Amino acid sequence: FALDPIKLQIKWVTQAQFAGYYVAKAKGFYEAEGLDVTIVPGGPTTPVPQQMASVDVGVEWAGNALIAREKGIKMVNIAQPFKNGGLELICPKDGPIQTEADFPGHTLGSWFYGNEVPFFAWMHKLGYSTDGGPDGVTVLQQNFDVSALVQGQADCISVMTYNELGQAADAGFTADKIIEFNYSAMGNGLLEDGLYVLEDKLADPKFKENLVKFVRASMKGWDYALANPDESAQIVVDADDAGAATLDHERYMVGEVAKLMAGANGV
């Protein structure tokens, strides 16, 4: 019998942040459910909401999905593999910022392309202007790395616990040398890396049936990935056509992602 095609748009490039999906494909979990899944890498020039018309499922953060709905792209969360978020703001311990009260008058780095939503919500919650000045903060649209911290362009930068936090440590900003403002720990976190589809597609019973199969196989992939981190890291490296993924970093990422998925509900 022919397999039913499902196209998955991931939020970023091929990396272990999405290991469960790559493992489910490599280990035949999707095929066993009668699905032929294509995983489409993302990046800053391919925001997930704008890709939803040409794919079936997207991996996106809740904040960006809500904004997309306001703009008419009616995204619906069908599963939430990540129970907690990995977004943090980190600052050098020997720098001018020790607490949230120290933010005004300083430069804070944030990603954009939808990733800025939790940051601006946090600043709004604190009552800080994001237009600069002594009573507000200056926002640096930082690169997707730790260069802004290394080069002193910002007093604090955004990182993910499973990615750039490790890069910061490699650059000398180890855990004992930084102050971490973790969004989830502070009660400022928004759901990250949920699975979304377009609302109107849910009217098709066959599509809904395939989504159930897709989520079931995906969570099986995640269970396998977290139980076999070395193998799953290698699967991700093998799937990376760009050749940027390294085994050590993907293995680190799998371990950190496992912490975010603890107790997650994939249904």
Side-chain angles (χ1 to χ4, degrees):
F1 295 97
L3 301 177
D4 292 330
I6 292 283
K7 186 175 288 187
L8 171 67
Q9 176 71 60
I10 57 177
K11 184 171 175 61
W12 197 240
V13 298
T14 301
Q15 58 184 25
Q17 175 184 354
F18 315 103
Y21 312 112
Y22 285 105
V23 168
K25 182 176 177 68
K27 303 299 290 186
F29 300 156
Y30 290 132
E31 187 174 356
E33 292 280 3
L35 303 177
D36 177 16
V37 174
T38 300
I39 303 174
V40 183
T45 59
T46 54
V48 174
Q50 278 66 53
Q51 307 304 311
M52 291 302 296
S54 59
V55 301
D56 299 298
V57 185
V59 178
E60 183 55 284
W61 291 6
N64 208 26
L66 288 170
I67 289 175
R69 279 193 69 90
E70 290 181 348
K71 295 179 178 179
I73 305 173
K74 297 191 178 299
M75 297 174 68
V76 175
N77 185 311
I78 62 164
Q80 188 58 47
F82 279 32
K83 180 181 180 181
N84 297 301
L87 183 62
E88 292 191 343
L89 193 77
I90 63 170
C91 319
K93 190 171 287 186
D94 60 358
I97 293 177
Q98 304 296 310
T99 70
E100 292 174 318
D102 299 321
F103 287 162
H106 292 97
T107 299
L108 310 180
S110 175
W111 299 305
F112 278 67
Y113 305 101
N115 299 321
E116 75 279 12
V117 176
F119 172 80
F120 281 103
W122 179 22
M123 293 301 109
H124 178 77
K125 178 181 177 181
L126 293 173
Y128 296 153
S129 165
T130 52
D131 297 326
D135 298 322
V137 300
T138 299
V139 182
L140 172 71
Q141 183 174 337
Q142 70 176 71
N143 294 327
F144 290 89
D145 53 33
V146 298
S147 59
L149 188 64
V150 173
Q151 297 170 10
Q153 298 172 336
D155 298 293
C156 307
I157 65 165
S158 297
V159 301
M160 303 304 296
T161 55
Y162 51 76
N163 196 353
E164 293 82 12
L165 186 61
Q167 295 177 19
D170 291 341
F173 293 95
T174 49
D176 60 319
K177 295 180 181 179
I178 60 173
I179 295 172
E180 300 177 55
F181 296 93
N182 182 280
Y183 281 66
S184 293
M186 294 185 299
N188 297 327
L190 299 175
L191 292 174
E192 299 172 7
D193 283 36
L195 293 173
Y196 291 82
V197 302
L198 290 180
E199 186 175 302
D200 60 353
K201 292 186 177 181
L202 293 173
D204 181 354
K206 177 63 173 178
F207 182 67
K208 289 176 68 174
E209 179 184 341
N210 282 341
L211 289 179
V212 173
K213 296 176 180 179
F214 173 79
V215 171
R216 183 163 55 217
S218 295
M219 295 311 295
K220 186 176 180 180
W222 274 116
D223 288 343
Y224 188 96
L226 302 186
N228 301 274
D230 293 329
E231 182 182 356
S232 59
Q234 186 63 61
I235 287 173
V236 171
V237 170
D238 292 343
D240 178 27
D241 293 335
T246 64
L247 192 58
D248 285 347
H249 190 65
E250 301 311 314
R251 175 62 180 81
Y252 163 81
M253 191 177 290
V254 173
E256 292 301 315
V257 164
K259 299 174 184 177
L260 304 183
M261 297 190 68
N265 183 3
V267 180

